[in-house]
Amino acid sequence: GWAKDLWRRENIRPEDLSDYKEHELFRNQMMCEFLHAEESPEQIFSRRIEELGKIFKKRTGVDLWQNIDTGDEAVEKASRFVSRADRGLVMLAKFILEALAERMSSSNLKAYIADDEATKDLKSIGLFERALSKLDASLNAAALVQFLRNVNLVRQIDSHLMSHADMEKRLKKVHLPLDVSSFERGAQLIECVNNGLTTLIKSLK
């Protein structure tokens, strides 16, 4: 299967033989160092989501995340192992949005903003941006949520039935590299989201 092919490519014939033991899959599967030596992007992603929920509740008094049973499941789906091909990257973007944008409580955000006319046509990312602006007018809310819109741009690759060339242009636009494997690109997509979440959390503290 794809997992064996990926392991074989990255470990049996690594590009740099002198760097054999530095390959992540080798460390994870054969040396058991990964979980002990460092945190995976997925672990950081999960923790940042929890931190964002706590700081948003502290600052606004309302819950950011919907109280739904699928919350943990949505977060767990966002794994770079999903991104084993270009279309897998689209699926990873979908899972990231399920864990973030789709779990945001639109009703709570609208109640906090308290402006029915301004929010009637907004979806979760727009509502979140508007809530940030209300919370602190000095925040560049649009810039703070841009990472979510970037993920959405990746997710839309499938819906627009793009050519490969157009898809590469889209990936360049959201600053994802083209000269790495889909697996590595998936890890970098999660890391970009983690960086966006970190910046957002720091801005709210």
Side-chain angles (χ1 to χ4, degrees):
W2 66 266
K4 290 182 179 178
D5 291 339
L6 180 62
W7 184 89
R8 185 161 47 247
R9 185 179 75 240
E10 292 293 326
N11 295 290
I12 301 303
R13 294 180 180 177
E15 293 179 11
D16 182 1
L17 294 176
S18 67
D19 196 31
Y20 189 81
K21 292 185 179 182
E22 290 305 310
H23 283 261
E24 181 182 33
L25 287 179
F26 180 82
R27 296 201 313 274
N28 190 19
Q29 297 182 23
M30 302 301 293
M31 297 179 70
C32 301
E33 290 181 2
F34 181 76
L35 293 179
H36 302 289
E38 57 185 300
E39 286 187 296
S40 69
E42 291 85 356
Q43 288 175 304
I44 297 171
F45 179 60
S46 177
R47 194 170 73 249
R48 291 290 182 271
I49 289 175
E50 183 178 356
E51 290 173 353
L52 177 58
K54 288 180 178 178
I55 189 67
F56 190 81
K57 177 67 177 288
K58 180 179 179 180
R59 292 293 308 275
T60 66
V62 301
D63 290 313
L64 177 61
W65 310 123
Q66 298 182 59
N67 185 21
I68 53 177
D69 294 336
T70 57
D72 290 339
E73 180 182 346
V75 174
E76 290 169 2
K77 283 182 180 178
S79 165
R80 82 203 99 147
F81 288 99
V82 173
S83 183
R84 58 187 181 272
D86 288 338
R87 300 305 173 187
L89 188 67
V90 175
M91 185 61 67
L92 174 57
K94 175 179 179 291
F95 289 153
I96 290 173
L97 290 174
E98 284 181 356
L100 290 170
E102 294 181 22
R103 287 180 60 225
M104 289 180 179
S105 174
S106 295
S107 59
N108 285 357
L109 290 172
K110 287 182 178 180
Y112 174 72
I113 298 167
D115 186 341
D116 294 338
E117 188 62 29
T119 62
K120 65 178 182 179
D121 296 324
L122 294 179
K123 298 189 181 299
S124 56
I125 296 176
L127 287 169
F128 184 53
E129 180 182 338
R130 187 64 62 92
L132 292 175
S133 295
K134 177 176 179 177
L135 174 62
D136 186 343
S138 68
L139 291 176
N140 187 340
L144 287 173
V145 302
Q146 184 59 45
F147 74 96
L148 289 173
R149 293 198 166 97
N150 285 348
V151 176
N152 197 37
L153 286 173
V154 176
R155 183 191 63 81
Q156 292 170 353
I157 287 174
D158 252 5
S159 61
H160 291 284
L161 299 176
M162 291 184 177
S163 67
H164 186 74
D166 287 340
M167 183 186 72
E168 288 193 342
K169 290 179 182 178
R170 176 68 63 92
L171 295 179
K172 284 182 179 179
K173 184 176 181 179
V174 299
H175 309 294
L176 285 177
L178 302 176
D179 57 347
V180 298
S181 68
S182 296
F183 175 80
E184 292 172 297
R185 199 177 296 139
Q188 291 200 30
L189 179 60
I190 297 175
E191 288 172 356
C192 286
V193 172
N194 288 343
N195 290 339
L197 288 169
T198 299
T199 300
L200 182 54
I201 290 165
K202 288 181 178 178
S203 298
L204 294 178
K205 286 183 175 178

